[in-house]
Amino acid sequence: MGESLLDKLGWRKYIGQETPSYTGETVLARDIRRYALAIDDLNPIYFDENAAKKGKYGGLTAPLGYVSWAIGVPGGEKSVKELGEDGLATFVGVPEFPNTWELGWVRGGEELEFFKPVYVGDQVTVTGNIVDMSEKDGRSGKMIFVTSLFTYKNQKGETLAKHRVTMIATPRKES
Amino acid sequence: MNNQIFYEDVVEGQEIPVLEKQVTTVNILMYLSTVWLMDRIHFDYPFATQRRGLPNVVAPGNMAGDYYVQLLSDWAGERGELRKLSIQFRSFMTPGDILACGGKIISKYIQEGKGYVELELWIKNQNNINCVPGKAIVELPLKGLKKA
């Protein structure tokens, strides 16, 4: 193992740091419908208000995996010129540290714990913190693992889900 | 629903019915535009293949989580509930892939009067590669009010 990339970047001090809190805009029936169409999950409880009322949640809800998108894309709505060459602005789980975007980021894995679904009309707030950082030598160089834990709540303060995301960063290779 | 599955109905080692999904460029575009995700590896073929060395454009990894949500929510039925899902991104899902999403019960237990099963999950493509292995905990209703 050579020189620590985490030390070089000076990121270790961010372990435990809170991530910015965001509140999304009101979730619309259209948001849920389009999301369900995209993942091709055609359960009527995502499309049909009457079916949803008779269903287990008693109203139109989003597929459970939608919760992390219900806050929108904080910092992501930028003009083409402001976006990076790869099209990314920010991404859930990618920390906002100095030099973050000198590395390439991919998702390693994630864990979602579900308590309640997102309903039409909800406004979802996320809070979180960096819970772990580590590094190792991979096949093609250094790899940094950053794990964050996010909590999503609705406008009533009810916890909807907890979301543990591990992102993997590697130095960018120019091609 | 008439065909509700109960905690008592399942045994360790049992596999649940497979959900077949097919990734298409249209589904990917729908997903990207609805969540406003502009990462070029998902839609720009020359960028994905020449600049990033990928075999094709690739589906957003989150879609795998959504496939598991569908698999397990449908299986759990009206009275059951997906409680926890963990996934690891191992291999990309690409347009044209035919994906078999499945799972096997690895344990079952009763806690505070509720029935839970733990599952090992897979999303296998047509080459039998498990692209996104996972694990889940699903709550299933109990037939009787047995004490744990």
Side-chain angles (χ1 to χ4, degrees), chain B residues 43-128:
Chain B
F43 63 88
D44 185 333
Y45 184 83
F47 180 86
T49 55
Q50 291 161 30
R51 299 292 300 278
R52 291 286 179 262
L54 296 167
N56 195 345
V57 294
V58 296
N62 292 63
M63 289 179 83
D66 294 307
Y67 294 166
Y68 282 138
V69 166
Q70 182 180 358
L71 172 76
L72 298 167
S73 298
D74 287 355
W75 181 68
E78 290 265 311
R79 294 177 56 196
E81 196 71 76
L82 171 60
R83 289 296 175 205
K84 202 170 189 176
L85 174 66
S86 59
I87 57 180
Q88 287 180 309
F89 303 111
R90 292 273 173 80
S91 190
F92 289 108
M93 306 186 298
T94 58
D97 280 355
I98 294 171
L99 303 165
C101 312
K104 184 168 94 175
I105 294 162
I106 51 176
S107 73
K108 58 184 278 190
Y109 56 93
I110 292 174
Q111 197 175 307
E112 293 171 1
K114 290 178 173 176
Y116 297 95
V117 296
E118 191 181 2
L119 298 108
E120 180 185 283
L121 305 169
W122 56 83
I123 294 181
K124 285 182 185 163
N125 66 15
Q126 60 284 354
N127 301 317
N128 209 33

Side-chain angles (χ1 to χ4, degrees), chain A residues 35 40 57 85 112 114, chain B residues 21 40 66 81 83 85 87:
Chain A
Y35 192 80
D40 203 28
Y57 301 122
E85 184 222 27
L112 271 157
F114 301 109
Chain B
K21 301 294 279 189
R40 286 170 70 187
D66 294 307
E81 196 71 76
R83 289 296 175 205
L85 174 66
I87 57 180

Side-chain angles (χ1 to χ4, degrees), chain A residues 31 34-35 37-41 43 54-57 63-66 68-69 73 76-77 83 85-88 91 107-115 172 175, chain B residues 21 27-28 30-31 34-41 47 50-52 62-63 66-67 69-70 73-74 76-89:
Chain A
D31 300 330
R34 289 183 177 181
Y35 192 80
L37 287 170
I39 60 173
D40 203 28
D41 186 346
N43 191 324
K54 289 179 208 145
K56 67 175 170 184
Y57 301 122
L64 293 176
Y66 181 73
S68 66
W69 298 108
V73 275
E77 292 183 6
L83 289 171
E85 184 222 27
D86 53 9
L88 279 172
F91 205 77
R107 311 207 110 188
E110 54 187 280
E111 181 179 279
L112 271 157
E113 194 174 356
F114 301 109
F115 301 97
R172 284 189 192 279
S175 53
Chain B
K21 301 294 279 189
N27 283 120
I28 293 175
M30 287 175 172
Y31 195 91
T34 196
V35 303
W36 199 259
L37 178 61
M38 302 301 147
D39 190 342
R40 286 170 70 187
I41 62 169
F47 180 86
Q50 291 161 30
R51 299 292 300 278
R52 291 286 179 262
N62 292 63
M63 289 179 83
D66 294 307
Y67 294 166
V69 166
Q70 182 180 358
S73 298
D74 287 355
E78 290 265 311
R79 294 177 56 196
E81 196 71 76
L82 171 60
R83 289 296 175 205
K84 202 170 189 176
L85 174 66
S86 59
I87 57 180
Q88 287 180 309
F89 303 111

